[in-house]
Amino acid sequence: QQQVKQSPQSLIVQKGGISIINCAYENTAFDYFPWYQQFPGKGPALLIAIRPDVSEKKEGRFTISFNKSAKQFSLHIMDSQPGDSATYFCAASKTNRDDKIIFGKGTRLHILP
Amino acid sequence: DTGVSQDPRHKITKRGQNVTFRCDPISEHNRLYWYRQTLGQGPEFLTYFQNEAQLEKSRLLSDRFSAERPKGSFSTLEIQRTEQGDSAMYLCASSLAGGTGELFFGEGSRLTVL
């Protein structure tokens, strides 16, 4: 049973466009929802994260929208740039227990120059 | 703070051989995690330690896999009698209990079993 489901698997966006990646979770005990960015040959790195007591968090060009009742959250990348081309993972964890993160399967994003 | 470091970065071995990976976490972090990532997939949790205690093991961690963190600092992940299906990137991450919840990942150790 996949606890965190992510879509789409791959995404191609024109430079300057908006990239949107969606995620759904099942376990209501999750209390931390990060997005990780991974470049080829590198480990994942935290991009932005949200907790369920807020519906939106924005950091620069990156925004997480969170819908607790629907158990869904999404990443929006505004003004997408070729340097944003990477694989993005949504994830969830229960930080009141441990920091073990459950990852989605990833979205490979390609920004056309 | 040099981040999480993993060694070796790449390992090619023949089926049936044993391999060992080492992870040095961020020095003040008391939690350490091992994940496995195959091509085109997200990282999958294998096991985690708080200080020297191994608190959880995934069902993915077969009897051929063993992890240790003897002094609560660095950790090793050993795979005995490797199989071709063990070929993957093995990622180590660390965090501070009671912190933000962020896991800090190393760059991984890529294993290829021939």
Side-chain angles (χ1 to χ4, degrees):
Chain A
Q1 182 185 17
Q2 190 180 353
Q3 295 192 58
V4 179
K5 294 183 180 180
Q6 183 173 349
S7 63
Q9 279 188 310
S10 63
L11 183 61
I12 300 174
V13 175
Q14 291 281 353
K15 178 183 175 182
I18 302 173
S19 303
I20 302 174
I21 304 171
N22 300 301
C23 200
Y25 64 97
E26 301 189 357
N27 192 335
T28 56
F30 289 138
D31 65 353
Y32 177 70
F33 300 89
W35 285 89
Y36 276 76
Q37 181 188 54
Q38 186 177 32
F39 293 102
K42 302 292 186 182
L46 179 67
L47 185 64
I48 185 173
I50 197 168
R51 293 197 179 265
D53 53 345
V54 298
S55 60
E56 185 174 283
K57 183 174 181 180
K58 183 175 181 180
E59 291 183 359
R61 297 184 294 109
F62 301 93
T63 299
I64 299 178
S65 298
F66 188 85
N67 186 329
K68 187 175 181 179
S69 61
K71 294 190 286 186
Q72 295 176 345
F73 59 109
S74 60
L75 175 70
H76 291 64
I77 305 174
M78 311 300 288
D79 187 27
S80 299
Q81 298 297 311
D84 297 330
S85 297
T87 300
Y88 293 81
F89 297 97
C90 64
S93 68
K94 306 173 210 174
T95 59
N96 56 357
R97 175 186 160 182
D98 54 47
D99 297 325
K100 180 182 76 176
I101 286 181
I102 306 299
F103 286 87
K105 291 192 173 185
T107 296
R108 181 174 287 186
L109 175 64
H110 183 64
I111 307 301
L112 297 173
Chain B
D1 180 2
T2 57
V4 178
S5 61
Q6 294 188 242
D7 183 73
R9 293 291 314 282
H10 303 275
K11 178 71 176 178
I12 300 173
T13 191
K14 293 182 179 179
R15 187 176 53 190
Q17 298 294 304
N18 299 344
V19 296
T20 300
F21 301 114
R22 175 181 170 122
C23 172
D24 288 271
I26 293 172
S27 57
E28 62 268 27
H29 285 181
N30 54 358
R31 286 180 173 166
L32 186 147
Y33 304 77
W34 285 100
Y35 283 79
R36 181 174 71 185
Q37 185 176 26
T38 53
L39 201 61
Q41 299 295 314
E44 296 174 297
F45 170 77
L46 292 178
T47 188
Y48 99 94
F49 294 83
Q50 180 149 327
N51 300 314
E52 65 275 9
Q54 188 173 19
L55 297 186
E56 185 174 347
K57 293 194 290 186
S58 162
R59 59 179 173 79
L60 293 175
L61 212 66
S62 76
D63 291 344
R64 297 184 297 105
F65 288 70
S66 62
E68 294 183 342
R69 194 183 183 199
K71 296 182 179 179
S73 56
F74 73 92
S75 175
T76 58
L77 177 68
E78 181 183 18
I79 309 174
Q80 296 183 323
R81 305 181 304 281
T82 53
E83 301 174 356
Q84 288 186 325
D86 297 331
S87 295
M89 176 76 85
Y90 291 86
L91 293 163
C92 177
S94 68
S95 71
L96 184 63
T100 63
E102 179 180 357
L103 294 194
F104 294 80
F105 282 85
E107 297 201 330
S109 293
R110 179 165 294 284
L111 173 65
T112 301
V113 181
L114 302 176

